[in-house]
Amino acid sequence: MNTDIKDYYAQRAREYEEIYERPERRDDLLLMEREAAALFAGRDVLEIACGTGYWTRFIARSARSVVAVDCNPQALGIAKAKDYGGRPVLFLESDVYSLSNVEGLFSGAFLGFWWSHIPKSKLGRFIKTLHSRLADDARVAMFDNRYVEGNSTPISRTDADGNTYQIRQLKDGSSHEVLKNFPGEKDLRQQLRDRAWELVFRQWTYYWMARYTVKRGKRPLTLPSPPGEGGQKRPLVLG
Ligand SMILES: C[S@@+](CC[C@H](N)C(=O)[O-])C[C@H]1O[C@@H](n2cnc3c(N)ncnc32)[C@H](O)[C@@H]1O
């Protein structure tokens, strides 16, 4: 059985978006799609583990720019072939645990169904790496799955760190053991306690969403942006 998450998603790339067609989940997804389209108005967004670009299409509608990264060339190939309505979207092959080839400082970050795949032992380091690419007052938002009995793939085991796993099958008949955690609001608040301002957590039947503002040191003083900059606040730089 394959247990490498990168291999699993490389093999799954072509059938990946079928997960968004499950009829019972469409009502939730419609609300989330609307939310995604407005989440990052006027911001420069780093999208983590973008996969086939499903959420990129919505984010790009209001963002000023999007740099979307994934380690998987198969998924990136599908993402690049999509229409983003002429919006500035750049796809980059990158490992999200290092982001070593990602340049610049972003005012937003989006994680679609990625947090749940991070081993608990790597969460702290991942957040640090992500925040190192984000400006003060950047907005981070994420969507992920709730565990729904009878609908979600059953949990096959729990390891010593408390990570949970599922056995998933692809259309070619291959089986894959995939790390998939189902954190709740309390876990998110705990993990982000010294790193986030204004954490908002919402959930629907099948999914949850969290968004927060990056916290770094003291709350920065802010000034309203000049007209024409999307109404964002910009840090007041002193000295
Ligand atoms: C659950 S999919 C999410 C795709 C997309 N964000 C979405 O919501 O539709 C997880 C993605 O993480 C990518 N991935 C796994 N490990 C990665 C890593 N270390 N660096 C970058 N991407 C990774 C996989 O290639 C896959 O596209």
Side-chain angles (χ1 to χ4, degrees):
M1 187 174 354
N2 187 354
T3 56
D4 185 301
I5 192 150
K6 293 184 188 175
D7 289 349
Y8 165 70
Y9 277 110
Q11 268 180 263
R12 187 179 163 193
R14 256 181 297 149
E15 58 192 89
Y16 179 74
E17 289 198 9
E18 290 176 16
I19 196 70
Y20 294 123
E21 287 161 19
R22 290 176 68 166
E24 75 283 9
R25 299 187 181 197
R26 280 310 312 165
D27 284 353
D28 281 8
L29 286 165
L30 208 60
L31 295 172
M32 293 158 73
E33 288 165 7
R34 277 200 209 123
E35 187 90 31
L39 262 174
F40 295 106
R43 292 181 187 260
D44 297 308
V45 180
L46 173 61
E47 185 182 354
I48 294 293
C50 64
T52 56
Y54 184 87
W55 295 103
T56 319
R57 286 180 308 142
F58 297 102
I59 291 162
R61 285 188 195 164
S62 68
R64 187 162 69 174
S65 67
V66 182
V67 173
V69 305
D70 200 283
C71 66
N72 173 352
Q74 291 84 345
L76 286 173
I78 295 170
K80 282 179 192 167
K82 287 189 171 137
D83 180 5
Y84 298 93
R87 311 288 301 172
V89 177
L90 176 77
F91 289 98
L92 204 58
E93 192 176 325
S94 185
D95 187 322
V96 299
Y97 291 114
S98 71
L99 296 172
S100 54
N101 57 343
V102 175
E103 288 175 6
L105 214 52
F106 297 83
S107 49
F110 178 74
L111 290 68
F113 301 87
W114 172 244
W115 184 277
S116 53
H117 286 308
I118 306 173
K120 292 185 179 191
S121 62
K122 285 189 172 181
L123 265 173
R125 201 153 29 99
F126 168 74
I127 297 165
K128 208 168 159 195
T129 303
L130 173 64
H131 285 196
S132 74
R133 300 297 193 282
L134 302 179
D136 289 347
D137 261 4
R139 165 175 281 192
V140 180
M142 55 188 106
F143 292 155
D144 223 309
N145 296 89
R146 297 179 68 190
Y147 185 80
V148 181
E149 201 66 55
N151 189 279
S152 305
T153 305
I155 290 168
S156 53
R157 73 177 174 99
T158 304
D159 70 16
D161 285 341
N163 296 298
T164 51
Y165 295 79
Q166 297 170 321
I167 310 282
R168 298 184 180 181
Q169 298 221 317
L170 293 177
K171 284 187 171 162
D172 65 4
S174 58
S175 282
H176 305 256
E177 184 184 60
V178 177
L179 184 154
K180 178 81 178 178
N181 288 320
F182 293 92
E185 177 171 4
K186 220 170 113 195
D187 302 304
L188 268 281
R189 289 198 183 278
Q190 165 84 1
Q191 195 66 48
L192 291 163
R193 64 188 178 283
D194 300 324
R195 297 157 164 145
W197 302 104
E198 301 149 353
L199 180 91
V200 173
F201 184 90
R202 289 172 56 194
Q203 53 190 7
W204 297 274
T205 306
Y206 296 97
Y207 305 102
W208 57 263
M209 172 197 159
R211 74 173 145 76
Y212 64 90
T213 304
V214 170
K215 173 179 175 180
R216 207 170 279 132
K218 287 193 177 145
R219 187 112 184 72
L221 291 170
T222 53
L223 284 177
S225 300
E229 287 192 11
Q232 274 186 53
K233 299 210 168 174
R234 63 192 162 90
L236 172 61
V237 182
L238 300 170

